[in-house]
Amino acid sequence: MFNGFRRWREDRRLAALDVPVATWETAIADWPVAARYQGEDRQRLRELALRFLLRKGFASGAGLTITDTMRLKVATMAAVPVFNLGLDWYDGWYTVVLYEGAFIPSHHGPDEFGLVHEEPDVLSGEAWEQGPVVLSWEDVCAASAEEGYNVVLHEMAHKLDMRRDGANGAPPLHGLDGARWHDTFTAAWDDLTEREQQGRPMPVDSYALENPGEFFAVVTECFFEAPARLQQAWPALYIELSRFYRQDPLAQQMALSPA
């Protein structure tokens, strides 16, 4: 009953939103991934983005002026991973914090060994467990299929991962084979490690090797931004991600290509 009331109330708020289709289209025009969603899928992507805005507030980091265009772009990017999962996968947190550029986490302090570093990390994005997602707007705009890079997709992948036992590369698998997931990701991890050690070309950024949680987030970026590269490097991993996200970006991309 509660979920039904929540949906009813959200539907009313959605109907009252004054966001012309043209405004949304302008906000996402320079993001090629959105072009894969056409017809009814495009309408649904827009609706998911608007519902994201109803559920999540945006806060300024260091005085950045946040425009509707910025909100729409981030919300649309955030909607893509849950396009066939549902926005409820983002339950439990409520805020997106936007900085103009890279930022130093406000919670900087001792690391897991109790050491305080003189030069704190400067980040382009961060996801807090049961807390906000923090993003650099410059990095949001730097999304690149060539690099397989997208900070919004990366941090949203962390949020999905955190739904079970923290960001450890093992999100809730909604019926998928856990052993197959583990073995497939381990094989890709080992291959990436070997490529780095041998100085061979790598299909994703070496930052993926920081830990299993970062590996899941980085390959998620590549899955949506550069699906052909990921599928070529690790076809079994691509299949697992396709099953998890219930999407096939490569098939979408090929469907748009001229015959």
Side-chain angles (χ1 to χ4, degrees):
M1 181 178 294
F2 175 78
N3 287 338
F5 174 74
R6 177 189 185 187
R7 179 76 180 196
W8 173 82
R9 184 177 62 177
E10 187 173 278
D11 286 347
R12 287 175 59 105
R13 294 174 64 203
L14 181 65
L17 276 182
D18 183 19
V19 181
V21 173
T23 300
W24 176 71
E25 291 284 0
T26 298
I28 64 168
D30 62 348
W31 188 42
V33 170
R36 298 186 197 136
Y37 298 83
Q38 294 297 322
E40 292 183 1
D41 283 349
R42 194 166 188 82
Q43 296 174 27
R44 191 154 67 89
L45 180 62
R46 176 177 176 270
E47 180 180 321
L48 275 173
L50 296 181
R51 289 185 185 275
F52 181 91
L53 292 179
L54 292 176
R55 297 187 186 190
K56 312 299 180 188
F58 278 68
S60 170
L64 175 67
T65 299
I66 302 174
T67 67
D68 289 343
T69 296
M70 295 161 73
R71 292 185 182 91
L72 287 167
K73 186 168 188 173
V74 171
T76 304
M77 289 179 170
V80 162
V82 295
F83 184 76
N84 285 326
L85 293 174
L87 279 176
D88 290 352
W89 277 68
Y90 290 152
D91 281 356
W93 61 279
Y94 306 98
T95 307
V96 175
V97 181
L98 273 183
Y99 283 84
E100 181 176 359
F103 56 90
I104 296 174
S106 60
H107 56 80
H108 174 68
D111 63 16
E112 64 268 33
F113 303 110
L115 302 176
V116 177
H117 299 273
E118 294 183 3
E119 296 184 4
D121 292 335
V122 178
L123 304 179
S124 59
E126 185 178 38
W128 298 12
E129 192 164 3
Q130 297 183 333
V133 166
V134 189
L135 301 167
S136 154
W137 175 245
E138 288 181 358
D139 284 270
V140 173
C141 295
S144 166
E146 182 178 350
E147 300 296 331
Y149 176 76
N150 188 305
V151 68
V152 179
L153 297 177
H154 185 104
E155 300 308 331
M156 294 303 157
H158 279 320
K159 279 298 189 181
L160 298 178
D161 196 4
M162 288 172 179
R163 289 183 64 85
R164 190 183 76 174
D165 300 329
N168 60 5
L173 295 180
H174 53 78
L176 300 184
D177 187 322
R180 184 180 62 205
W181 177 276
H182 175 271
D183 292 348
T184 301
F185 271 74
T186 299
W189 171 285
D190 291 343
D191 178 63
L192 189 64
T193 300
E194 185 176 310
R195 288 171 185 252
E196 183 184 47
Q197 292 173 346
Q198 296 177 357
R200 295 161 52 206
M202 296 190 292
V204 299
D205 192 279
S206 61
Y207 184 66
L209 295 174
E210 286 286 310
N211 55 61
E214 294 300 345
F215 190 88
F216 173 67
V218 170
V219 297
T220 290
E221 294 177 75
C222 195
F223 177 72
F224 288 108
E225 287 284 353
R229 184 196 313 166
L230 192 70
Q231 195 277 339
Q232 183 178 11
W234 302 315
L237 179 67
Y238 182 90
I239 290 172
E240 287 304 299
L241 288 173
S242 186
R243 288 169 172 157
F244 175 76
Y245 287 111
R246 296 173 177 165
Q247 298 188 63
D248 189 343
L250 184 56
Q252 288 177 299
Q253 187 170 290
M254 292 176 66
L256 293 176
S257 301

